[in-house]
């Protein structure tokens, strides 16, 4: 069974740092693209970052230069290092698996599994 | 960046009625990589439809997706009580983006 479990959220002051973790089970993160998606309280969804199976990394414009995505294949864990945090970074952060089909011969552009999310609150 | 506009913002319907949700893209969606999700309060999004018209595993056939290029539709043929929530569309071009959501509420 595929499971994603986030941790590491909490209250942090503006300008501070936080590292989120996403423990994956039931599949290997090295064989899938993995993303972080966030949702501000009462708002919609915003894609944050992706790390491809091959290791390519991309970020949304709002976090570029401040956030870093990484992974530990030995522990099957995805990370998001967040620096220079701002009030507007306050959100629930989800890790999500990019869907692939046909034994991962094809991608679909969808996120098929999501964690329950971890809340990050940036406030003084 | 492709902007997705969902309409209406809120849909007030009764169980058994048909729901039609729209998602319009500011430019053509590559490979029809248009996805629909359902989200309920306190829960992560749930994948419903991928590549515009393919139902995800375990999704009832009352949910259907259609469209191409810049215009996409999610239809729920007969609303069940558990279908109420917020629905998001999403595209995966050079940078994934989500629509603002349509809330389907009980009339």
């Amino acid at each position: 069974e595929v499971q994603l479990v986030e941790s590491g959220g909490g209250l942090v002051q503006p300008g501070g740092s936080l590292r989120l973790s996403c423990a994956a089970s039931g599949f290997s993160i090295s064989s899938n693209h993995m993303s972080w998606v966030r949702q501000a309280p009462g708002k919609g969804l915003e894609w944050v970052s992706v790390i491809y199976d091959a290791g390519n990394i991309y970020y949304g414009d709002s976090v570029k230069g401040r956030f870093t995505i990484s992974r530990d294949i030995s522990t099957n864990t995805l990370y998001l290092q967040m620096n220079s945090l701002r009030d507007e970074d306050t959100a629930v952060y989800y890790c999500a698996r990019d869907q692939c089909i046909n034994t991962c011969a094809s991608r679909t552009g969808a996120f098929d599994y999501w964690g329950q999310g971890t809340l990050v609150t940036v406030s003084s | 960046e492709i902007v997705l506009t969902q309409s209406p913002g809120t849909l007030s319907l009764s169980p058994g009625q048909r729901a039609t949700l729209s998602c319009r893209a500011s430019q053509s969606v590559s490979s029809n990589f248009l996805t629909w999700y359902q989200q309920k309060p306190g829960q992560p999004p749930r994948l419903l439809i991928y590549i515009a018209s393919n139902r995800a595993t375990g999704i009832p056939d009352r949910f259907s997706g259609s469209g191409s290029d810049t215009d996409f539709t999610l239809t729920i043929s007969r609303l069940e009580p558990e279908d109420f929530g917020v629905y998001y569309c999403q595209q995966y071009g050079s940078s994934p983006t989500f629509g603002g959501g349509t809330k389907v509420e009980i009339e």
Side-chain angles (χ1 to χ4, degrees):
Chain A
E1 180 192 6
V2 172
Q3 278 198 323
L4 298 168
V5 180
E6 301 95 337
S7 60
L11 175 63
V12 60
Q13 291 189 336
S17 299
L18 213 53
R19 189 176 85 153
L20 307 182
S21 300
C22 171
S25 58
F27 73 103
S28 173
I29 63 171
S30 63
S31 301
N32 288 80
H33 299 352
M34 295 295 298
S35 287
W36 287 97
V37 177
R38 68 184 181 183
Q39 187 170 34
K43 302 296 184 183
L45 299 161
E46 179 187 17
W47 173 79
V48 172
S49 181
V50 64
I51 182 166
Y52 283 4
D53 52 0
N56 313 62
I57 287 173
Y58 301 94
Y59 299 98
D61 288 343
S62 62
V63 307
K64 207 171 292 184
R66 300 187 299 124
F67 289 12
T68 303
I69 192 172
S70 63
R71 65 187 180 185
D72 184 337
I73 293 171
S74 67
T75 60
N76 216 30
T77 303
L78 180 72
Y79 297 101
L80 186 68
Q81 176 67 44
M82 304 186 295
N83 298 331
S84 303
L85 283 161
R86 305 167 179 167
D87 290 353
E88 55 266 34
D89 295 318
T90 293
V92 173
Y93 284 73
Y94 297 103
C95 65
R97 188 180 81 169
D98 287 34
Q99 183 186 40
C100 56
I101 56 176
N102 302 327
T103 59
C104 268
S106 306
R107 307 269 169 204
T108 69
F111 304 113
D112 60 352
Y113 286 92
W114 298 65
Q116 286 298 311
T118 187
L119 176 62
V120 173
T121 303
V122 183
S123 175
S124 54
Chain B
E1 176 180 290
I2 296 178
V3 175
L4 299 178
T5 302
Q6 292 189 242
S7 61
T10 302
L11 207 47
S12 298
L13 295 168
S14 299
Q17 288 191 296
R18 182 185 187 90
T20 303
L21 288 66
S22 172
C23 176
R24 287 193 170 170
S26 60
Q27 53 189 283
S28 183
V29 175
S30 173
S31 304
N32 265 2
F33 275 11
L34 192 287
T35 304
W36 290 95
Y37 302 91
Q38 175 196 65
Q39 189 178 33
K40 297 184 179 182
Q43 296 183 17
R46 173 195 181 197
L47 173 63
L48 298 175
I49 302 287
Y50 63 92
I51 313 180
S53 61
N54 296 270
R55 269 188 302 276
T57 303
I59 301 303
D61 60 8
R62 63 180 181 273
F63 290 91
S64 64
S66 63
S68 64
D69 195 24
T70 60
D71 284 328
F72 299 88
T73 300
L74 175 69
T75 301
I76 311 171
S77 58
R78 295 172 311 279
L79 279 165
E80 297 285 343
E82 62 267 28
D83 298 337
F84 294 92
V86 181
Y87 290 80
Y88 293 97
C89 60
Q90 172 245 321
Q91 66 79 32
Y92 204 124
S94 58
S95 180
T97 55
F98 292 85
T102 291
K103 182 178 182 180
V104 177
E105 63 179 23
I106 300 174
E107 186 173 43

